[in-house]
């Protein structure tokens, strides 16, 4: 099992109270540790595009993940059988031909933990809220996981944020404010659990949150995906 092979490799610390599959926990701890280090490499890039930053991030993560039994793939195709499949910004794949996470099996071409990236703020006309929801199109990071456009077969995934203006507290209040507005206008689709919760104390480089996001449409009240949110600041 991936988690068994990672046991003797140093990693970060996940916040207390999160009981998840050991393989997922290993990847989350890895991302938490190394995403924070990545911020030092892109400090000051306050106008860099999301695609350029994520391309650099994926290359960086793969370089430092060399001893680990997983790797990262930029613009991972969600449905290889479709020529018009959506692409997740970064997929996480096992170096083994198969991995079991909980009660689900993933083969060598399946991402078992997907990552979507967004700039804060998202530039462009009517795109300000794309961390949460898109304008006329389902381009929002949280929205795409809720609707199964990304991570349809996953219980856990991540959204990373590149803060290029303001600070973590500003965006925490802003993002949750957008979700609160959606709760008022679409109460059957958006709920309090969709809001970001602080996982632990943030530092100057990294902020950590989580949310339990109900699927749209939901099969039951427990039909959710847990998202881990990691933000770095590029502001000097």
């Amino acid at each position: 099992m991936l988690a068994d092979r990672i046991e003797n490799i140093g990693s970060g610390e996940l916040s207390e109270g999160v009981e998840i599959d050991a393989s997922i926990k290993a990847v989350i701890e890895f991302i938490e540790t190394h995403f924070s280090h990545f911020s030092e490499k892109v400090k000051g890039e306050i106008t860099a595009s999301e695609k350029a930053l994520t391309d650099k991030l994926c290359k960086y993560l793969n370089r430092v993940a060399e001893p680990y039994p997983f790797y990262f793939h930029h613009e991972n195709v969600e449905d290889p059988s479709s020529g018009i499949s959506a692409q997740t910004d970064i997929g996480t794949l096992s170096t083994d031909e198969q991995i079991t996470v909980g009660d689900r099996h993933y083969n060598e071409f399946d991402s078992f933990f997907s990552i979507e990236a967004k700039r804060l703020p998202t530039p462009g006309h009517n795109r300000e809220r794309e961390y949460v929801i898109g304008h006329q199109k389902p381009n929002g990071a949280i929205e795409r996981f809720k609707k199964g456009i990304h991570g349809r077969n996953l219980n856990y995934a991540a959204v990373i944020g590149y803060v290029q203006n303001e600070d973590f507290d500003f965006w925490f209040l802003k993002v949750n404010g957008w979700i609160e507005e959606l709760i008022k206008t679409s109460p059957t689709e958006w709920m309090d659990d969709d809001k970001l919760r602080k996982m632990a104390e943030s530092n100057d480089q990294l902020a950590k949150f989580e949310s339990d996001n109900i699927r749209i449409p939901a099969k039951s009240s427990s039909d959710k995906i847990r998202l881990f949110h990691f933000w770095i600041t590029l502001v000097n």
Side-chain angles (χ1 to χ4, degrees), residues 43-67:
K43 182 67 70 176
E45 296 190 22
I46 58 173
T47 60
S49 70
E50 174 194 305
K51 181 166 286 191
L53 289 167
T54 304
D55 180 72
K56 289 182 180 180
L57 174 62
C58 192
K59 291 171 180 174
Y60 172 75
L61 292 178
N62 277 327
R63 185 167 65 251
V64 294
E66 189 171 334

Side-chain angles (χ1 to χ4, degrees), residues 16 66 73 105 125-126 161 193 204 206-208 220 222 225:
E16 295 181 1
E66 189 171 334
H73 183 63
H105 305 285
H125 181 62
N126 288 325
D193 282 351
D204 292 340
L206 180 72
K208 302 176 289 183
S220 67
S222 61
I225 182 169

Side-chain angles (χ1 to χ4, degrees), residues 47-200:
T47 60
S49 70
E50 174 194 305
K51 181 166 286 191
L53 289 167
T54 304
D55 180 72
K56 289 182 180 180
L57 174 62
C58 192
K59 291 171 180 174
Y60 172 75
L61 292 178
N62 277 327
R63 185 167 65 251
V64 294
E66 189 171 334
Y68 290 76
F70 53 78
Y71 66 97
F72 301 92
H73 183 63
H74 188 206
E75 297 185 348
N76 190 70
V77 173
E78 290 280 352
D79 182 4
S81 66
S82 171
I84 56 172
S85 172
Q87 296 178 332
T88 308
D89 287 327
I90 299 177
T92 309
L93 293 86
S94 172
T95 55
D96 294 333
E97 291 187 358
Q98 182 172 309
I99 180 175
T100 300
V101 179
D103 60 351
R104 298 183 180 182
H105 305 285
Y106 303 88
N107 68 32
E108 60 184 314
F109 303 115
D110 294 331
S111 171
F112 66 91
F113 185 85
S114 294
I115 306 165
E116 190 72 355
K118 287 294 178 184
R119 298 165 69 185
L120 293 168
T122 305
H125 181 62
N126 288 325
R127 296 187 61 192
E128 181 186 26
R129 303 187 179 203
E130 272 192 15
Y131 191 93
V132 178
I133 193 168
H135 176 71
Q136 295 183 337
K137 296 181 180 179
N139 294 332
I142 296 176
E143 173 187 33
R144 287 171 80 84
F145 282 115
K146 283 172 66 70
K147 291 185 174 181
I149 298 170
H150 294 329
R152 179 176 299 178
N153 297 316
L154 304 181
N155 290 325
Y156 307 98
V159 183
I160 59 174
Y162 306 116
V163 174
Q164 296 178 306
N165 195 359
E166 303 293 349
D167 58 20
F168 295 142
D169 288 338
F170 174 89
W171 288 111
F172 175 72
L173 294 174
K174 180 70 75 173
V175 168
N176 276 348
W178 294 334
I179 296 173
E180 287 173 357
E181 291 181 22
L182 290 168
I183 293 171
K184 293 178 182 177
T185 57
S186 306
T188 60
E189 297 183 349
W190 293 84
M191 303 178 185
D192 282 338
D193 282 351
D194 287 303
K195 294 167 63 176
L196 276 58
R197 306 182 299 273
K198 293 184 178 181
M199 292 174 61

